[in-house]
Every structure is written in C-alpha cells, then in structure tokens.
Amino acid sequence: MSPMVYCGSVVVTSAELRELFASPVVVLVPAPPTVRIIHSGHACNVEEERHTERVYTIREGETLELTCLVTGHPRPQIRWTKTAGSVSDRFQDSSVFNDTLHISKIQRHQGGRYYCKAENGLGSPAIKSIRVDVYYLDDPVVTVHQSIGEAKEQFYYERTVFLRCVANSNPPVRYSWHRGRDVLSQGSDKGVEIYEPFFTQGETKILKLKNLRPQDYANYSCIASVRNVCGISDRNVVFKLTNKTASPSIKLLVEDPIVVNPGQTVSLVCITTSGEPSPTLSWASSSDSLPEKSVVKGGTLTLPGVTSDEAGVYSCVASNNVGNPAKKSTTIVVRALKKGRFWITPDPYHNDDNIQIGREVKISCQVEATPPEELTFGWLKNGRALRSSERMVITQTDPDISPGTTNLDIIDLKFTDFGTYTCVAALKGGGIPEISIDVNISSTTAEKEDNYSHSRIFPPSLSVPRGKSPLVAREGDTVELECLVSGKPKPIILWSRADKEAPMPDGSMQSESYDGVLRIVNVSREMTGSYRCQTSQFNGFNVKPREAVVELIVQYPPSVEPVSLEVRQGLGRSVSMNCRVLRAHPSRVLRYEWRLGNRLLHAGHFDQSDDTEYTVKSLTREGWGEYTCDVINEAGAGRCTFLVTGERRFARFMRFSFHPSRQQSLIPVAAFQSAAFRVHLSDPCIQIRSIISAAFPSILDFNHLSLLTPHNCPALLAFFPMTSPFLFL
C-alpha cells in the first residue's frame, strides 16, 4: 500500500503525488532582469535600423500600445520613460509603471524615443528602447507675394508674383502645382518657374509667375502628398489669382489709448479697407490670450466689465494669404489708484532723527496711479484746504523720488503747525475713489528754551520680545516671529533673511508686515536661521532704518539609514544590525530602542558616535522577524527596519522533466516558495515530506524541505492539481 498523509479532510498518496509531478516542473533561481519591447495597436510599420534600433510608425490619432516583456527573479519593477530622461508629462499616470504603455489618439508631439526600464536589485537595470514616429499631413496653405517695381527707376517695369505652398507633415511632403486642369512643371512654361528655397529643406514649394500675363490669371492648385504612407491621402488647396488680388489693409475705429474706468464695457471696432480675397479678421492681446468673457463678432471685440487685469495692448489682424497680414493696435488703460504711502523726513540739512521746533520737516505722499498723467494731489490741514506758501511749500514732483509723489515742506516748524495733515490723491477723469492719507504732527513733549518750544515725534525703534529669540519650533508647525515696533507714526516692518541670500518662505526676498509679526505656516528644516526685521521709510520716518534679528530653530526627527534592509543568515550564525543617524535636530540628546516585533530588546543613549548596533549571537527560528531601531529626539523618531530570515532567495526559471528510470539533478525545494502562493507545513501534515521523498528520491534535496511555507495542507494540495507545469511567481 502506498504511504498516505492526512491533512484535514484531504488524503494524498505517494502515487498521486508522483502523477502530479510527472509533468515538466519550473523552479525559480535569482536572476537579473531582461527586457524586450513588443507592439500592438495600429502600427503602420515596424522596422529594424542599424545598431538594433527599432522604429515604430503610427498615424496621428491612432492608439499606441507598447508592451514591455521582462524576465528575472524577483519580478522586476517596470518603468516607462521618454527621451532617456524623466517621465513625460503626457503619460497617463496609470501607464508609466505598467507593463503596457497605452496612448489613445496619439499626437505628433508624442513621437520620440520611449524606454522601458526593468530592475529587481540584481545586476544592472535592463533597458530597451523603441523610436515612435508619428505620421501626419496638414492641409497645405498658399500665400501670395508680389514684386512691383514700376514706380522705382532702379527696377524694371515688371510685375512678378510668387505663390508659396506650405504643409506640415511627417514624412517630408511632395508638392505638385496645377493651373486649372494643367499640370505645371519646371520648363513646361517659360513664364513659370518652380523651385524649393534652400532654407526650407523641402517643406515649401514656390511657383514663380514672371511678368504676369493674361493667362496667368487663373485657379492654382497645390497638392501635398506623403505617398499614401499609413493610408494618409493627398491634400490640396486652390487659390484664385485675379488682376484684383491685393494684400489687406484695415482701420481701427477707436482712439489710442482708450482710458476707461473699471467696470465699463469696451468695444473695439476694426474694419477692412481693401484686400482681395476678402481678408479674415482676428483679435489678439499682449497677454497672449483674450479675456474669457470677451466677445468677438466679425471685426468687433467687446470686453464687458473691464478690469485692471485686462488692461493692455489689443491688436486687430487681417489676413488673406496675400502679402503680409495687416495689423493695427490700441492700448486699453484702466484707471486705478493703489498703494497709498507716506513718510516723514526730519530736517534733511541737520541729519537728525527727531523733529524739532524751528527746523524743517518734509511730509511725502506716494501712490501708484494709472494713467500717471491724470494724477492730482491736494493737501489738507485739520480738514481745511492747504495752499502752497513761503513757509509751506507743496511740490507735485520730485526728481529724486519716483513718480506719483507729492511733498509738503514745512519750513521753520512752529507750535501752531501741529495737527493732522491729509494728502488726497485723485484722477482727473474721475470714477475712481480718492485715496486719503492722514499724517499726524503733534507735540508729545515740550520744553521752553530761548523762547522756543521743542517738539519731538517719536522716531521708530525695534526690539524682540523676551523669550522670542531664539524661537524653537517643530517641523510642520506654524510659527510667528515677532518684533515690537514703536514710533509715531508707526512704520511698516520689512522681513528678510539675515544669515544668507535666500528667499523668504513665501518665495519673495522681502516680506512686509504692519504689526511686526512674520507668520510662517508648515515650517521646514530649511527655514532654520536668522531673520531680520527692519523699519521701512513708508508710513514712518525717513531716517536710518532700525533693525533687529530673530533666530528660528526648527527641530525635526532623526533621518536614519538603512530605512529598510533584508538580512539573510544561516541558523546558529551571528547577525549584526547597524542603524546610523544621518541628521537630526536636536542632535545632542538622542536615544535608541531596539525591538523584535513589539518586544523591547535593548535601549540606550548616543554618546560620541552617530550609530548603534545590535547583534544576535546565534540565530534561531524564533529570532526570525522584523527588527526595528527607533532613534528618538524631542521632535520624533526615525526608524531603521531589518527583516531577518534564514529563508533562501527566490530562484530563477529552470525546467526539468521527471523520469523514474533516469537520474535527476538535485534542486532545492526552496524553489516552491512564492510571494503569490505561500503555504506552511504544520506538524499534523509533516508526513508530506516522507511522501514526496518516497515519490521523488533522486530529484529533491529534502534537507531544505523545511523551507516550504504552505498555509495548510488543503491549500497546498488544492493548488497542485491546477499547476502543470508548476510555475511559482
């Protein structure tokens, strides 16, 4: 009687196992990857060129499918790239890492070289490429140019016309000309010359009509052909040449520039004054595209509810393929007032930070105005209009200061000059709200000396609040850097990096703050450093800037290596695992914890070294598993992971056939191990070892049979009948 094994309700005999293994068996051995690219879809042609380059030809609009066939064990990871570089933006995300690259309705710009890269950690990555050539043919376009010299003495009295035919294509296009039904060729008519300009490299065909004759006024056809490759049919265009053929001219029925208030509707009207054939009108703007809400009807462009963002140059273009297109432009200016600012300059002749009675003080007011020539300023004192006088001089422009500035110079400041001064900015055209800026000149302290009253307005000062520098934060936090600003008036604060030439977190080189606080969201380790807060001249004193520095320290968890590592070692041997700290902040207080699963093995603190090591002196089966080393600081932890096992690596493909009377090669049973199908031989089913051994005494080295990992016998036995030959992936 044949030996039997009982696994649950399943009974298997050695004879049945022998029958199962009678078919060819495939086992797996570690192997580096190999790659081959095959195609499907709508290829016109696939040809081999020199240096084993493959060219895949496809018609524009068809579907491209390239499949990357790989071998190797473990199964290689696949990645598609284009032009030997990074992944193309035009790839579908789902296609980049799949075996098959699928591009529906391929376009001409998607042609090029495609690479399939496979790697599994063994040897060098395998890379194969194929060049995709997208074929297409656009409709040809005929343009006409004339050479007229009858009005110039140095030219002959002749009239020559050039008809130029252009078509975009791949492969290169071939052209033919017809006049009516007659084919035109070089030499067939003395009044006709056909040639290709050297610089166009065959992309253009020119028909030259010398000294126009009556028979030259006719219909001319240009036929573009790529010789029906990929089933692309010929394209043609017809141009009618008459004695009235002329290039276009146009006229804009609007002023230039057009100055409007925001919210108005603007209509630009363009008409053609000549041109045969009748020109086509189009509109373009300096911002490359017309506003979304714009309406084009014929030669009229309408912009409803115009905004400042829509200001710019708008051009009407007329084209009829004769001569050069005609173009006329106008500029739309949208009125605007913004960024009202002021600053106070103490007596510029005494280099003093304080305002004093008996000396000069200048109040400056600045706004950004569009259009600048419409800007007007007015000054008020305590709500009443102020006129320029000998002691209070109002100027509208200052060559030393940028445009849009007015100044009020108070000469020989007196106690009666204290009050609120208002700068009012407006535009002559109206329709825009005025901007009013109040500046308060008042006495805070007064002393009598030599019959003069001295008044001081506080100049600015900056300080960092106690405990706010250095400021410690954790990566990802929101932090507020603070500078206390005082002064009357209170100035705007400018923030910048003090330790290096680097942009601020918002990307600018300088940030403004009205309350002295710089708020940083989601702070990162790169933001560690010194930040400078500095007073600006705007909305404050035009004196030497005051500044202070705030230190920002960003803490972050340790970065460690290796993040993940598989360790294989034989039973009874020692295993050493090393976890190294690459960077961390703070780094002075680091501790570590070694664990196997959830069980704490060892803990301690770093001294002078930047790594920690844990050793298993004699590896047992109970010592297999996932070891972790957590390196911990105040901000968090970094983890090294080591997967320790005594299992052998997967095998590569080897094929053999069983024959009872023939001596077989020795192959380890570790080949049956699989990521897709894992089974574990539990003790109640361990008899299967003796059954397989009896069935195949000369095939398998059963010293390694314990490396089989079935979940249970029923699962194993249910799997075998479905597998012939056995292929474990």
Side-chain angles (χ1 to χ4, degrees):
M1 180 176 178
S2 301
M4 294 184 295
V5 61
Y6 293 85
C7 292
S9 60
V10 181
V11 180
V12 181
T13 66
S14 60
E16 290 172 329
L17 285 176
R18 182 187 298 275
E19 182 179 353
L20 289 173
F21 278 95
S23 300
V25 179
V26 176
V27 294
L28 308 171
V29 178
T34 64
V35 173
R36 185 164 62 96
I37 297 177
I38 63 173
H39 65 87
S40 57
H42 302 81
C44 300
N45 185 34
V46 178
E47 59 185 53
E48 307 288 340
E49 294 187 347
R50 291 181 300 173
H51 310 297
T52 68
E53 181 186 39
R54 303 181 69 215
V55 181
Y56 178 102
T57 304
I58 187 171
R59 180 173 176 173
E60 187 174 49
E62 302 289 356
T63 298
L64 171 70
E65 281 192 1
L66 299 176
T67 301
C68 195
L69 298 182
V70 298
T71 64
H73 200 78
R75 178 172 174 78
Q77 291 186 342
I78 298 173
R79 187 179 190 224
W80 284 96
T81 59
K82 186 181 178 186
T83 61
S86 60
V87 177
S88 171
D89 293 337
R90 304 182 183 96
F91 282 6
Q92 299 175 5
D93 293 341
S94 59
S95 301
V96 176
F97 296 100
N98 289 348
D99 294 3
T100 300
L101 175 65
H102 181 96
I103 302 178
S104 301
K105 297 181 180 180
I106 191 169
Q107 301 300 307
R108 63 193 66 178
H109 62 258
Q110 293 174 301
R113 186 174 300 280
Y114 288 82
Y115 292 80
C116 174
K117 178 180 179 181
E119 52 186 340
N120 64 356
L122 299 178
S124 300
I127 301 176
K128 287 291 184 181
S129 68
I130 187 170
R131 198 179 84 213
V132 176
D133 208 0
V134 181
Y135 278 6
Y136 59 91
L137 174 61
D138 292 342
D139 290 330
V141 176
V142 170
T143 57
V144 180
H145 299 271
Q146 299 182 14
S147 173
I148 303 174
E150 54 192 27
K152 299 181 180 180
E153 294 180 358
Q154 64 268 35
F155 286 84
Y156 293 106
Y157 291 95
E158 67 175 20
R159 180 175 176 141
T160 299
V161 171
F162 300 88
L163 278 69
R164 179 180 179 180
C165 187
V166 180
N168 296 319
S169 72
N170 183 36
V173 67
R174 291 182 181 177
Y175 299 96
S176 59
W177 282 99
H178 291 71
R179 181 165 55 196
R181 296 183 178 180
D182 299 332
V183 177
L184 295 176
S185 60
Q186 184 65 26
S188 62
D189 187 330
K190 292 183 179 180
V192 174
E193 184 177 340
I194 301 174
Y195 63 94
E196 294 178 356
F198 174 75
F199 62 88
T200 63
Q201 300 180 353
E203 298 175 357
T204 301
K205 198 79 166 183
I206 291 182
L207 176 67
K208 181 180 179 181
L209 305 176
K210 299 180 289 184
N211 203 7
L212 281 177
R213 305 161 299 179
Q215 62 265 35
D216 292 329
Y217 296 113
N219 290 333
Y220 290 85
S221 301
C222 173
I223 301 174
S225 173
V226 290
R227 295 147 319 271
N228 205 37
V229 295
C230 283
I232 300 175
S233 58
D234 296 349
R235 307 289 178 86
N236 74 292
V237 63
V238 177
F239 185 88
K240 183 178 182 179
L241 181 65
T242 70
N243 57 0
K244 295 182 179 180
T245 299
S247 58
S249 64
I250 56 176
K251 182 178 181 180
L252 281 180
L253 303 182
V254 293
E255 298 178 354
D256 184 30
I258 303 173
V259 181
V260 297
N261 293 326
Q264 283 187 227
T265 296
V266 180
S267 293
L268 308 180
V269 180
C270 178
I271 61 172
T272 59
T273 56
S274 64
E276 177 65 34
S278 181
T280 300
L281 297 177
S282 62
W283 283 94
S285 76
S286 54
S287 60
D288 297 331
S289 61
L290 295 175
E292 292 184 4
K293 60 184 179 182
S294 62
V295 178
V296 178
K297 186 176 182 180
T300 301
L301 170 65
T302 302
L303 303 177
V306 69
T307 65
S308 295
D309 294 335
E310 295 168 346
V313 178
Y314 288 80
S315 302
C316 175
V317 180
S319 175
N320 64 352
N321 293 340
V322 178
N324 296 319
K327 181 178 178 180
K328 295 286 186 179
S329 301
T330 186
T331 301
I332 296 179
V333 178
V334 181
R335 292 188 177 92
L337 283 175
K338 55 185 178 179
K339 288 189 177 180
R341 291 173 166 176
F342 75 91
W343 58 94
I344 302 171
T345 306
D347 193 341
Y349 304 105
H350 292 83
N351 193 26
D352 197 342
D353 289 349
N354 299 315
I355 296 175
Q356 298 184 17
I357 294 293
R359 292 190 179 177
E360 180 179 341
V361 62
K362 177 189 288 185
I363 306 173
S364 300
C365 175
Q366 183 186 62
V367 297
E368 292 184 7
T370 305
E373 59 271 14
E374 289 190 3
L375 177 62
T376 61
F377 284 107
W379 283 93
L380 306 176
K381 179 185 177 183
N382 297 329
R384 295 183 178 182
L386 193 64
R387 298 183 180 276
S388 185
S389 63
E390 291 184 359
R391 207 170 59 79
M392 290 194 176
V393 181
I394 299 174
T395 56
Q396 298 292 337
T397 58
D398 191 328
D400 298 328
I401 302 177
S402 59
T405 303
T406 181
N407 302 292
L408 172 61
D409 282 281
I410 304 176
I411 301 170
D412 188 15
L413 183 67
K414 299 181 183 298
F415 186 81
T416 55
D417 294 328
F418 295 152
T420 299
Y421 292 84
T422 304
C423 165
V424 181
L427 293 177
K428 295 177 182 178
I432 300 297
E434 298 175 340
I435 290 181
S436 297
I437 304 170
D438 292 334
V439 183
N440 192 29
I441 305 294
S442 61
S443 173
T444 56
T445 61
E447 296 181 2
K448 294 290 184 178
E449 180 178 349
D450 297 333
N451 297 323
Y452 286 99
S453 175
H454 294 265
S455 171
R456 293 188 178 182
I457 297 176
F458 288 111
S461 65
L462 277 180
S463 62
V464 179
R466 180 177 298 179
K468 292 293 187 178
S469 181
L471 183 65
V472 179
R474 293 188 178 182
E475 197 166 35
D477 288 351
T478 295
V479 298
E480 290 186 348
L481 280 59
E482 186 177 356
C483 279
L484 294 178
V485 55
S486 62
K488 193 172 184 181
K490 191 176 180 179
I492 296 174
I493 300 303
L494 305 178
W495 284 92
S496 61
R497 294 295 292 264
D499 54 345
K500 55 186 175 181
E501 287 291 331
M504 297 290 288
D506 63 359
S508 63
M509 296 304 294
Q510 201 173 61
S511 299
E512 290 186 359
S513 170
Y514 288 85
D515 58 1
V517 175
L518 174 65
R519 191 169 188 266
I520 304 176
V521 179
N522 193 21
V523 68
S524 65
R525 63 192 67 179
E526 293 79 13
M527 298 176 188
T528 295
S530 301
Y531 290 79
R532 179 189 297 110
C533 59
Q534 177 179 295
T535 59
S536 73
Q537 70 169 6
F538 300 118
N539 295 7
F541 273 68
N542 183 21
V543 294
K544 183 179 179 180
R546 274 58 166 169
E547 63 179 50
V549 174
V550 179
E551 294 289 337
L552 174 63
I553 299 173
V554 181
Q555 295 181 343
Y556 52 90
S559 297
V560 297
E561 69 172 9
V563 175
S564 180
L565 182 66
E566 185 179 19
V567 180
R568 294 180 181 269
Q569 184 58 281
L571 296 175
R573 297 187 179 182
S574 65
V575 176
S576 293
M577 293 160 282
N578 185 277
C579 183
R580 186 162 70 93
V581 180
L582 300 177
R583 63 189 70 86
H585 194 87
S587 59
R588 63 184 182 278
V589 182
L590 289 175
R591 58 189 177 91
Y592 57 82
E593 294 178 353
W594 283 93
R595 296 178 183 271
L596 173 57
N598 294 323
R599 181 162 57 94
L600 180 64
L601 302 174
H602 180 57
H605 290 81
F606 285 89
D607 296 324
Q608 301 297 325
S609 63
D610 59 358
D611 62 351
T612 174
E613 186 173 273
Y614 183 79
T615 301
V616 179
K617 294 182 179 179
S618 179
L619 185 63
T620 63
R621 294 185 185 278
E622 291 72 19
W624 291 1
E626 185 178 85
Y627 290 76
T628 59
C629 174
D630 290 329
V631 181
I632 307 164
N633 68 0
E634 297 175 15
R639 171 170 289 188
C640 297
T641 301
F642 302 87
L643 181 61
V644 178
T645 179
E647 296 180 350
R648 296 192 174 187
R649 291 187 179 274
F650 294 130
R652 65 187 163 98
F653 298 107
M654 296 178 60
R655 182 177 290 273
F656 69 95
S657 299
F658 170 75
H659 196 284
S661 62
R662 187 177 303 169
Q663 184 68 26
Q664 307 294 333
S665 302
L666 218 59
I667 298 177
V669 179
F672 292 121
Q673 187 177 0
S674 165
F677 178 76
R678 292 188 176 272
V679 208
H680 182 70
L681 283 176
S682 56
D683 289 339
C685 303
I686 204 67
Q687 300 173 55
I688 197 169
R689 296 176 59 184
S690 60
I691 294 180
I692 298 178
S693 180
F696 306 100
S698 59
I699 296 180
L700 302 170
D701 175 8
F702 286 96
N703 291 327
H704 302 291
L705 185 59
S706 61
L707 300 180
L708 281 170
T709 58
H711 293 302
N712 48 53
C713 284
L716 174 65
L717 298 174
F719 178 77
F720 280 169
M722 295 183 295
T723 313
S724 179
F726 294 117
L727 179 60
F728 297 88
L729 295 177

